[in-house]
Amino acid sequence: MKKFLSFLIIFTIFILPVFSENNKITEDYLKNNKHLLSMHCMGDFAAKSAIKHSLKKQAPGKYKVKFKGYTLYGLKQGIFKSLEIKGKNITLEGIEIPYFTLQTLTDYNWIDYRQNPVIIKTDMGFKYELHLSEKSINDGLRTEEYLKILRKINKRAYPVFTLNDVQVKIKNNKLHVIMSYNFPISPRENDRTFVVSSGLRIVNNEIFPCNIAFDKAYGNLPLKKVANLINILNPLNFTMKLIDNKKGDIKIEGIKILDDIVVINGKIYVKGDK
């Protein structure tokens, strides 16, 4: 998610001609004075187009962008009032995201985009909503990073069992984790499978399964041990971390499964370099 924020920071402002003789860019001046509407509308349109173009290039998808600046000169310095992005069918870090929206909470935002790396000069806040589908989560489980987790679990579980595959299915607004396993000492020709259903909860700003129950089981597997295993595997939390690039402080405030889609919302806070 915060990768989106990076795109905005880097690509929000294009270098625009200076049409205003007034170079005042303080928060008090920009908020409390009237500015020539036709001029800053031109800048808003150019910035909006630049953001949309850059987002499509870095994370292909369909986007709608709303952007408001104060003045053209302020815009050239990297100062803007508000930004709202809505994206559909986005591909980010190899993960397909059905829907994402990001909107500024702060109304004076200053980014020195001419520096490398960019310098964020004011504290900024955003609210977001992110949708993850069954495919989104399974995309994350096919990455090398997740395979490392499986290898670590198998090293610990040997010789009792080995996990060969983990997938999820979202059905009837519940998350179902499907695990294929076998026995290293006496391997079966075909893997065995057990399926566990769970709800979702937020603990210390991370997503964890809850209300874990068997849908179907082969063999004598204690539920407590299975619950511990699911918490270690934690496919949804892993998917969230894949699309988190550490550019800001992300807060997860709500999570639910609606129409077989995981809906996550919260806020992102970015500390400015004073």
Side-chain angles (χ1 to χ4, degrees):
M1 270 178 302
K2 285 172 277 184
K3 186 136 188 169
F4 281 93
L5 188 55
S6 299
F7 299 155
L8 307 183
I9 289 171
I10 295 170
F11 297 112
T12 292
I13 314 298
F14 266 4
I15 297 176
L16 298 168
V18 181
F19 292 98
S20 172
E21 295 179 356
N22 198 324
N23 63 356
K24 293 181 180 178
I25 54 176
T26 64
E27 183 174 3
D28 180 69
Y29 173 80
L30 290 175
K31 284 185 176 181
N32 297 316
N33 287 272
K34 292 183 178 180
H35 309 290
L36 188 60
L37 183 63
S38 60
M39 288 298 181
H40 73 69
C41 281
M42 292 167 60
D44 292 354
F45 180 79
K48 183 171 70 173
S49 298
I51 293 167
K52 187 181 290 188
H53 173 78
S54 299
L55 285 170
K56 285 182 177 180
K57 185 177 179 181
Q58 298 295 329
K62 296 180 179 179
Y63 294 96
K64 289 184 178 180
V65 177
K66 293 181 180 180
F67 180 90
K68 286 185 180 179
Y70 286 102
T71 64
L72 276 177
Y73 187 81
L75 191 59
K76 186 178 178 183
Q77 306 307 309
I79 298 170
F80 61 97
K81 183 177 182 179
S82 65
L83 174 68
E84 181 181 354
I85 291 177
K86 292 182 180 179
K88 290 184 178 180
N89 302 322
I90 302 160
T91 302
L92 180 64
E93 297 294 330
I95 296 173
E96 185 179 289
I97 300 172
Y99 178 81
F100 178 82
T101 182
L102 183 75
Q103 183 177 352
T104 48
L105 296 171
T106 42
D107 61 357
Y108 179 79
N109 307 283
W110 188 357
I111 299 165
D112 190 347
Y113 65 96
R114 294 166 295 186
Q115 303 297 319
N116 187 18
V118 296
I119 296 175
I120 301 171
K121 299 180 74 71
T122 59
D123 295 345
M124 294 191 296
F126 301 82
K127 65 178 180 180
Y128 71 88
E129 184 174 304
L130 171 72
H131 293 183
L132 294 177
S133 65
E134 179 182 300
K135 186 179 186 305
S136 306
I137 303 168
N138 283 322
D139 284 346
L141 302 187
R142 295 186 188 101
T143 61
E144 178 59 27
E145 289 87 347
Y146 197 76
L147 293 177
K148 287 178 184 177
I149 294 175
L150 289 185
R151 287 195 287 268
K152 189 180 292 185
I153 291 171
N154 286 336
K155 187 175 180 180
R156 191 182 304 175
Y158 187 89
V160 180
F161 69 90
T162 55
L163 276 176
N164 296 324
D165 188 42
V166 179
Q167 297 182 44
V168 301
K169 188 170 184 61
I170 303 175
K171 187 177 180 181
N172 298 326
N173 292 330
K174 274 209 166 187
L175 185 72
H176 302 266
V177 184
I178 305 163
M179 289 163 279
S180 299
Y181 68 101
N182 216 315
F183 306 100
I185 295 177
S186 180
R188 304 293 180 96
E189 184 178 351
N190 298 313
D191 286 349
R192 291 194 170 191
T193 302
F194 65 95
V195 182
V196 174
S197 66
S198 82
L200 299 167
R201 61 175 178 161
I202 301 166
V203 180
N204 296 327
N205 207 41
E206 292 193 351
I207 301 167
F208 285 93
C210 65
N211 302 323
I212 296 170
F214 279 114
D215 284 346
K216 188 184 204 180
Y218 298 87
N220 186 17
L221 299 169
L223 184 58
K224 185 177 179 180
K225 289 186 177 181
V226 172
N228 290 337
L229 178 60
I230 296 298
N231 278 305
I232 294 170
L233 291 169
N234 204 346
L236 188 59
N237 206 48
F238 178 80
T239 305
M240 287 290 290
K241 287 181 178 179
L242 277 181
I243 55 178
D244 172 4
N245 71 349
K246 312 298 181 187
K247 292 293 183 182
D249 182 16
I250 181 170
K251 302 295 182 186
I252 302 172
E253 297 180 342
I255 185 167
K256 60 185 177 181
I257 302 177
L258 183 64
D259 296 329
D260 293 339
I261 292 289
V262 179
V263 180
I264 303 164
N265 61 69
K267 294 183 177 67
I268 300 171
Y269 299 98
V270 181
K271 193 74 176 172
D273 300 310
K274 304 296 185 183

